[in-house]
Amino acid sequence: MHGPRRPRTDRPASGRGTAANPAGRFASERVVPVDDGWTPSDAPAPPIRTQLTPERSRSIITTNDSPDVPFSRSINPYKGCEHGCVYCFARPTHAYLDLSPGLDFESRIVYKPDAARLLERALRKPGYRPEPIALGANTDPYQPAERELRITRALLEVLAAYAHPVGVVTKSNLILRDTDLLADLARRGLAHALISITTLDRDLARRLEPRAPTPDRRLDAVRALADAGVPVGVLVSPIIPAINDGEIEAILEAAAAAGARAAGTILVRLPHELKDLFEGWLDDHYPLRKPRVLARIRDARGGRLYDSRWGTRMRGVGPYADLLRRRFDVAARRLGLDRELPPLDAGQFRVPPRAGDQLALFDG
C-alpha cells in the first residue's frame, strides 16, 4: 500500500539515522541491493524525501497494563518519526504497516488527521472515566510534520476544553508553540512535560538523532516551559554504553540549571529488527567501539542484546546496569531531581455542552 521498499544503500543517507531499510519481520519477501557498477562506492547516498500518509483510525486512545510505564492511556498522532533516532524502540512497530523499521520508519510517516475528533468522541461516551493521557509515548508528537499538520495542538485543545489531564513526552522545542495551552492546563494541575536529552554533544546528537533539535534547544525548551509554570522533567534516555554513558551527571546538571523538577533514565532497548539496525549504525559511525558497546549491552541484558521481561527491560541487570543506576540516583539526589512531577488531577474532568445540547433539569 505504500510502494516498494528501499534497499540498504551501504552509504549513510544524508540527514537520516540509518542506511538500512530491511523488510519487517512479517514481510513475505526480501529486497537485496545489487551493485550494477554504475554508482561509485564512495558516492553520497541520494537524498530521501519524507512521505506523509493519512490514516483513518476508528479510535485514538491506546491502553496498556505494563508495570514498567507510569500511565495506562496514551495517544500517538504519528506512526514513524522523522527525527531518525537510530536507537528508537518504536522502529519495529513499522513492520505492522508492512514497512521497514529502517529508513521507512523515519521517511514514511503515517499521521492521524481525525485524532482530535476521535478523542472528543471518546471523552463524550457515557461512563468515560478520566485518567492521565500520555502524548508521545511511542513516537514524538512534535516531530517536523506537526509544524504544519498541528494534530498535537488540536488534541491539546480538546483536552483543555474537557479539563482532562495530560503528560507530553518529546525531544523537540516545537512544544513551545503550544505553551499557551500547556501553561493553562498546568495552572489547573492538568499538565506536565518530559523533554528527552540523550547527549549534550552536538556532533554525537547529529549522528544519533539527525533531525531532532539540538541539545541546546531542548534545554531552552525546559527553561521556557518552567518559566511558564509547566512542571517539566528530563529523560536522560537512552543510556548507550560507551557512547553517552559518561554524560549522565552533566545532562542532569544542565537540566537542573534550566529548571527541570524531575528526571528519569532508561537503558538502551534493542527489540526485534532494531538490533541489526543499531549494529549497522555502529559500523558506520563507531566501528572501533562496536565490540565494547555490544559487550556492555549484553552484560546488562543477561547475555543478550535485548531482554523483554517486565521489571528489567527499562533498566537492565548486573553490575554495569547497577553502576549506571547508582550514578544517576546520586546525581539526581544532589540536584533535587529525585522526585516525581506533581500528580495530575483527573477530578476536574467535565464534558462541555455543545450547541443544541439540552440543559440539565434545574441547572443554574
Side-chain angles (χ1 to χ4, degrees):
M1 61 180 288
H2 295 282
R5 297 185 186 88
R6 307 181 187 95
R8 178 184 168 92
T9 64
D10 288 314
R11 293 162 287 158
S14 176
R16 298 297 180 178
T18 178
N21 210 42
R25 60 194 179 281
F26 306 117
S28 58
E29 61 181 32
R30 297 289 184 269
V31 177
V32 180
V34 176
D35 182 3
D36 59 7
W38 287 102
T39 303
S41 59
D42 59 349
I48 296 172
R49 300 183 63 181
T50 300
Q51 301 176 28
L52 300 175
T53 303
E55 178 183 77
R56 301 298 173 181
S57 305
R58 289 180 292 181
S59 61
I60 196 65
I61 299 176
T62 300
T63 60
N64 78 85
D65 58 1
S66 170
D68 292 326
V69 293
F71 55 85
S72 60
R73 301 180 189 178
S74 61
I75 295 176
N76 291 288
Y78 302 95
K79 294 179 179 179
C81 184
E82 197 176 353
H83 285 157
C85 306
V86 70
Y87 53 73
C88 183
F89 66 84
R91 281 183 178 272
T93 62
H94 240 42
Y96 292 109
L97 303 176
D98 195 28
L99 291 173
S100 172
L103 283 170
D104 283 351
F105 177 81
E106 52 192 281
S107 63
R108 297 190 178 187
I109 310 301
V110 176
Y111 66 95
K112 303 174 184 179
D114 296 330
R117 180 184 63 81
L118 292 171
L119 174 59
E120 186 162 17
R121 186 176 72 183
L123 300 187
R124 284 187 171 272
K125 286 183 178 180
Y128 176 81
R129 295 292 180 266
E131 293 181 21
I133 287 176
L135 277 181
N138 202 43
T139 56
D140 204 306
Y142 285 105
Q143 59 180 283
E146 170 62 18
R147 193 174 302 277
E148 301 298 329
L149 296 176
R150 301 173 71 86
I151 300 172
T152 297
R153 182 170 179 88
L155 289 167
L156 288 174
E157 289 172 342
V158 172
L159 294 168
Y162 285 71
H164 195 293
V166 60
V168 182
V169 183
T170 183
K171 55 169 53 73
S172 175
N173 62 333
L174 180 57
I175 190 176
L176 296 181
R177 180 201 62 190
D178 298 336
T179 301
D180 58 333
L181 291 169
L182 291 169
D184 172 62
L185 285 160
R187 278 192 294 271
R188 295 183 274 162
L190 296 171
H192 60 226
L194 292 170
I195 307 296
S196 173
I197 301 177
T198 314
T199 177
L200 299 178
D201 183 329
R202 288 174 63 102
D203 290 336
L204 175 56
R206 189 177 298 112
R207 295 184 180 98
L208 275 173
E209 312 156 331
R211 297 202 175 194
T214 64
D216 286 345
R217 290 190 175 183
R218 291 182 230 177
L219 286 169
D220 288 344
V222 172
R223 187 174 296 106
L225 289 170
D227 289 346
V230 180
V232 57
V234 164
L235 295 175
V236 188
S237 300
I239 296 298
I240 305 173
I243 298 294
N244 70 338
D245 56 351
E247 295 189 67
I248 293 173
E249 293 82 1
I251 295 173
L252 289 173
E253 288 169 2
R261 299 193 194 182
T265 187
I266 297 174
L267 184 66
V268 65
R269 299 167 55 194
L270 300 174
H272 302 299
E273 297 92 343
L274 188 51
K275 300 181 189 68
D276 291 338
L277 290 169
F278 183 72
E279 289 196 48
W281 179 85
L282 289 172
D283 288 332
D284 290 336
H285 296 284
Y286 296 100
L288 297 181
R289 291 194 212 177
K290 179 180 177 180
R292 183 156 53 108
V293 174
L294 298 181
R296 287 189 176 176
I297 292 176
R298 289 190 175 96
D299 285 345
R301 297 295 186 190
R304 300 180 294 274
L305 287 180
Y306 185 57
D307 179 0
S308 63
R309 291 177 299 169
W310 284 351
T312 62
R313 59 181 180 151
M314 301 294 191
R315 54 186 175 84
V317 296
Y320 175 72
D322 291 344
L323 175 62
L324 292 180
R325 172 53 64 181
R326 285 197 300 272
R327 284 177 52 200
F328 180 89
D329 288 346
V330 168
R333 190 179 309 114
R334 171 172 58 87
L335 296 164
L337 299 176
D338 59 333
R339 51 184 171 173
E340 302 290 334
L341 290 174
L344 300 175
D345 183 6
Q348 300 179 49
F349 175 77
R350 297 291 184 274
V351 177
R354 291 185 295 196
D357 283 355
Q358 182 177 353
L359 295 178
L361 190 62
F362 305 125
D363 187 23

